[in-house]
Amino acid sequence: MTVDAASAFKYEKLDAVTPLDRVIFGSADPFALAQRDEETIRLAVVRDAVDFHAARDPSYRRWLTSAAVGVDELQSVKDLDRVPQLPTAIFKRRNSPLVHSAEARPSRSSGTLGTVSAVWRDHTTTQRLLGSVKAGLRLIDSWYEDEVHVVNLGPDRQEAAGLWFAYVMSLLEIVFPTTHCVKADVFDKTATLQKLSNALGAAPSVGVVGPPMLVADLAATALRTRWSCDADRITVVTAGGWKRAVGEALARDEFDDLVCRAFGVSDPYRDVRDAFNQVELNTVLFECRARRKHVPPWVHVTVRDPVALLPVAPESYGLLSYLDASASSYPCFIVGDDIGMLRDGACPCGRIGRTVEILRRVRRDESWGCALKMDSDVVR
Ligand SMILES: [Zn+2]
């Protein structure tokens, strides 16, 4: 099904009156700010978010109080490391203590531990999530908004409603002309290659978006059937990781090689990118040309020791945790599910800023130690 971006569901910017919405939806590139400006904005919008959630959610307010952190104490971005963060176990509880408004709807995803997270998102929160996707696409040089047709290797929004990553990818139809390729759980590779040919006939460039396993499957089918297209008209954006197909995961250079040969991509650093998200996080992080995932100013990242949860030394590996100011329907202040590293400063892509490297998912024994302790100690 092809959905015209202008029809069906209008992409609706929020009133750009708050500093946060100016950063997310404004015309300035949020990844091109001077370091000092970025830190000033980050401190302001995260402080506002802490204040907002403390006022609306008694459970989070108790947590702030017990951690002896008040908004007045948050005077620099470094102070933000002290803001209490929720273990994702909170979202996996049948009866979460978090407040959610009547209009919010749950986004669900089964996590690494096999349990299901339910994260309540309202309209504003979802619009900002989509805003983070639009902002992140600025990192892809070949993605010109008015010239791209998206081929989504997933279902449309209606069918994707219960599947977090498929849902995030289906949101692209709000912004770009989009063709969805999964119907009733079936991914027909031959039909998808035909849709890809049609999209190439309809637009100067095509964005192929999907989990790496499906992209690799499609690329292998393209090679086998001698499907071909003009060089350098396709940009591939993967998201969601290999999940259950982890045993079949290709190394990055093997994946690049396959995709380049199948889809006529000459420079994988320009046209093969990955994006990161977990259901509890309201921002999608995209890779730049140097394959580093840039963090926008509305997200503060702290890398913590998995046991003590204290911040680790700069450029050390630890548990990635986030203060994401973009969620209004729940406090998106979370200890994440991944081990990784934060870098700050000049990126080889030419931008100055923070980037994260995702190393791997947390193992069961690592996460339960800290998450359950925090859960039972503080949140009632
Ligand atoms: Zn970069």
Side-chain angles (χ1 to χ4, degrees):
M1 182 181 69
T2 301
V3 176
D4 186 311
S7 68
F9 189 104
K10 198 162 159 277
Y11 176 60
E12 181 185 328
K13 288 182 182 175
L14 304 169
D15 294 339
V17 289
T18 65
L20 174 64
D21 290 323
R22 267 201 294 277
V23 183
I24 297 178
F25 299 105
S27 54
D29 183 348
F31 300 102
L33 296 165
Q35 188 167 11
R36 205 186 171 94
D37 294 341
E38 192 276 336
E39 289 185 355
T40 303
I41 291 169
R42 185 172 9 134
L43 179 63
V45 299
V46 174
R47 267 176 60 135
D48 283 355
V50 171
D51 211 18
F52 175 84
H53 291 292
R56 76 178 278 282
D57 191 326
S59 179
Y60 188 69
R61 186 162 61 241
R62 276 200 298 278
W63 203 341
L64 271 177
T65 308
S66 68
V69 176
V71 171
D72 292 343
E73 279 105 72
L74 307 177
Q75 296 296 327
S76 73
V77 283
K78 201 151 182 43
D79 294 336
L80 298 178
D81 292 339
R82 297 172 51 212
V83 173
Q85 291 168 311
L86 305 162
T88 52
I90 293 278
F91 300 96
K92 296 173 173 57
R93 281 189 186 181
R94 196 176 292 268
N95 295 309
S96 165
L98 300 174
V99 169
H100 52 77
S101 55
E103 57 145 332
R105 295 283 172 269
S107 322
R108 296 182 198 279
S109 171
S110 52
T112 11
L113 308 179
T115 43
V116 175
S117 277
V119 181
W120 292 77
R121 288 186 164 88
D122 59 10
H123 182 70
T124 301
T125 304
T126 306
Q127 286 290 326
R128 288 178 181 155
L129 169 77
L130 180 57
S132 85
V133 172
K134 276 200 77 182
L137 289 171
R138 288 173 186 261
L139 295 165
I140 303 178
D141 327 78
S142 54
W143 194 291
Y144 301 113
E145 193 168 311
D146 298 334
E147 297 182 357
V148 171
H149 187 107
V150 172
V151 173
N152 170 30
L153 309 187
D156 63 21
R157 258 189 309 154
Q158 208 162 8
E159 193 174 330
L163 305 158
W164 173 241
F165 246 104
Y167 176 73
V168 172
M169 289 190 268
S170 70
L171 286 176
L172 289 169
E173 77 181 26
I174 299 168
V175 190
F176 305 103
T178 299
T179 304
H180 305 284
C181 301
V182 168
K183 193 82 193 154
D185 286 337
V186 175
F187 177 58
D188 180 332
K189 287 170 275 192
T190 307
T192 299
L193 287 173
Q194 184 56 51
K195 288 175 179 175
L196 193 50
S197 297
N198 295 347
L200 287 161
S205 58
V206 169
V208 173
V209 177
M213 183 71 215
L214 292 194
V215 174
D217 263 4
L218 187 67
T221 305
L223 287 174
R224 201 173 54 248
T225 60
R226 299 177 188 277
W227 180 89
S228 68
C229 66
D230 298 338
D232 288 327
R233 291 187 58 204
I234 291 178
T235 300
V236 171
V237 180
T238 56
W242 292 81
K243 293 259 169 26
R244 280 184 291 274
V246 72
E248 299 165 57
L250 296 175
R252 192 75 192 258
D253 56 347
E254 291 173 308
F255 183 79
D256 283 350
D257 178 60
L258 176 63
V259 167
C260 287
R261 286 188 291 124
F263 298 139
V265 172
S266 66
D267 179 356
Y269 282 81
R270 189 187 65 195
D271 285 323
V272 185
R273 305 285 183 90
D274 187 47
F276 169 80
N277 176 263
Q278 67 177 78
V279 66
E280 298 87 357
L281 186 63
N282 204 50
T283 293
V284 182
L285 305 177
F286 285 79
E287 278 182 353
C288 67
R289 194 187 174 91
R291 298 227 162 136
R292 293 191 181 180
K293 292 181 172 83
H294 281 255
V295 183
W298 57 89
V299 180
H300 179 76
V301 176
T302 307
V303 184
R304 299 186 182 280
D305 176 284
V307 177
L309 291 176
L310 294 170
V312 298
E315 303 210 357
S316 303
Y317 287 102
L319 198 54
L320 291 168
S321 63
Y322 310 91
L323 301 175
D324 182 342
S326 71
S328 59
S329 53
Y330 68 99
C332 187
F333 309 142
I334 57 165
V335 178
D337 289 338
D338 298 272
I339 298 292
M341 183 199 285
L342 177 72
R343 294 185 176 89
D344 196 358
C347 177
C349 74
R351 295 177 183 83
I352 310 275
R354 295 164 303 138
T355 59
V356 290
E357 176 195 338
I358 315 283
L359 184 65
R360 61 172 171 81
R361 279 279 153 126
V362 169
R363 289 192 301 267
R364 183 178 287 259
D365 53 340
E366 288 171 325
S367 71
W368 281 26
C370 56
L372 289 186
K373 181 173 185 310
M374 290 171 73
D375 194 8
S376 58
D377 279 2
V378 192
V379 179
R380 293 180 291 273

